[in-house]
Amino acid sequence: MAAPVTRQVRAGAVPGPVPTGPEGLTLAAGVAELPVLDARGRRVQFGALFRERRAVVVFVRHFLCYVCKEYVEDLAKIPKSFLEEANVTLIVIGQSSYHHIEPFCKLTGYSHEIYVDPEREIYKRLGMKRGEEISLSGQSPHVKSNLLAGSLRSLWRAVTGPLFDFQGDPAQQGGTLILGPGNNIHFIHRDRNRLDHKPINSVLQLVGVPHVNFTSGPAVIHV
């Protein structure tokens, strides 16, 4: 059987569509070396986050986005023991100032790893979309609010916060990757619009983490 072809997401290039699945992709060193900031504003190399083990890395739109808030609220329900048993790290990356990390975690109950890329440089290098593509993304199992109610709550958070800002570029879309160990890319999905995020359980399945029930029922779905 022929050896898989290795491809790179090159620094400085806007890559085209990347196949999902273990296609022998690697993250270019220039991208892995870019910094993200933690809640204290400390710089951490992006590649250091998944150097030693696999990571599910979720890039969100902006911290005032009600869809992102409700999606991250469900990410927060993933038991840490599930991730530890599978030797997997869960990471959320936003594109606001690092000052917004702690309030966002308190709001969502999220206690896994989280960083920001305020210049959106990693978003750009990974080819994350800017602007919304109109498409039928279906009903997300993670979004509970309708457009009107969610937007009003986002606006309220904006005007009642210490600074009136969107906590990131509102036109920026996110995406989901499975990375590591090292610069291996096992899966990449770039969101086309705010509702196009990957269902969490479909990503957990790819890394051997048990399914989670995101309703008010028990945490584990027995299959």
Side-chain angles (χ1 to χ4, degrees), residues 164-181:
F164 185 88
D165 64 52
F166 285 99
Q167 302 183 22
D169 181 349
Q172 179 67 58
Q173 303 302 318
T176 301
L177 296 91
I178 298 174
L179 301 165

Side-chain angles (χ1 to χ4, degrees), residues 61-62 64-73 140 142-143 145 147 150 154 157 193-197:
R61 295 180 65 242
H62 59 89
L64 276 183
C65 170
Y66 75 92
V67 172
C68 298
K69 169 187 172 289
E70 295 179 6
Y71 189 78
V72 173
E73 284 175 337
S140 169
H142 307 294
V143 179
S145 301
L147 176 62
S154 293
R157 285 199 287 133
N193 56 57
R194 69 189 67 193
L195 292 171
D196 191 40
H197 50 248

Side-chain angles (χ1 to χ4, degrees), residues 17-197:
V18 176
T20 58
E23 299 288 342
L25 299 177
T26 57
L27 189 70
V31 180
E33 291 167 2
L34 289 170
V36 291
L37 305 180
D38 68 10
R40 297 184 181 180
R42 295 175 296 196
R43 293 163 64 96
V44 180
Q45 276 194 353
F46 179 50
L49 305 180
F50 42 85
R51 183 174 295 143
E52 302 299 330
R53 60 180 177 173
R54 285 178 303 167
V56 173
V57 184
V58 178
F59 289 80
V60 298
R61 295 180 65 242
H62 59 89
F63 285 166
L64 276 183
C65 170
Y66 75 92
V67 172
C68 298
K69 169 187 172 289
E70 295 179 6
Y71 189 78
V72 173
E73 284 175 337
D74 276 359
L75 289 175
K77 297 173 184 176
I78 301 172
K80 290 187 176 180
S81 61
F82 285 14
L83 298 168
E84 290 168 359
E85 288 169 10
N87 197 29
V88 171
T89 304
L90 174 62
I91 301 165
V92 165
I93 295 182
Q95 37 113 10
S96 74
S97 163
Y98 71 88
H99 295 99
H100 294 302
I101 292 178
E102 187 173 341
F104 185 70
C105 289
K106 287 181 179 178
L107 179 70
T108 58
Y110 182 84
S111 61
H112 303 287
E113 291 191 41
I114 183 168
Y115 304 89
V116 290
D117 172 24
E119 302 301 322
R120 298 187 295 114
E121 194 61 35
I122 300 172
Y123 284 78
K124 296 171 188 174
R125 302 287 185 93
L126 292 176
M128 300 294 180
K129 184 176 178 61
R130 190 170 182 278
E132 292 211 62
E133 178 182 322
I134 299 174
S135 63
L136 297 175
S137 298
Q139 181 63 39
S140 169
H142 307 294
V143 179
K144 295 84 180 172
S145 301
N146 61 39
L147 176 62
L148 177 60
S151 298
L152 287 174
R153 279 194 285 268
S154 293
L155 180 61
W156 178 252
R157 285 199 287 133
V159 300
T160 57
L163 295 173
F164 185 88
D165 64 52
F166 285 99
Q167 302 183 22
D169 181 349
Q172 179 67 58
Q173 303 302 318
T176 301
L177 296 91
I178 298 174
L179 301 165
N183 290 346
N184 295 307
I185 302 175
H186 306 285
F187 173 89
I188 181 167
H189 170 83
R190 300 182 184 91
D191 299 347
R192 296 169 294 173
N193 56 57
R194 69 189 67 193
L195 292 171
D196 191 40
H197 50 248

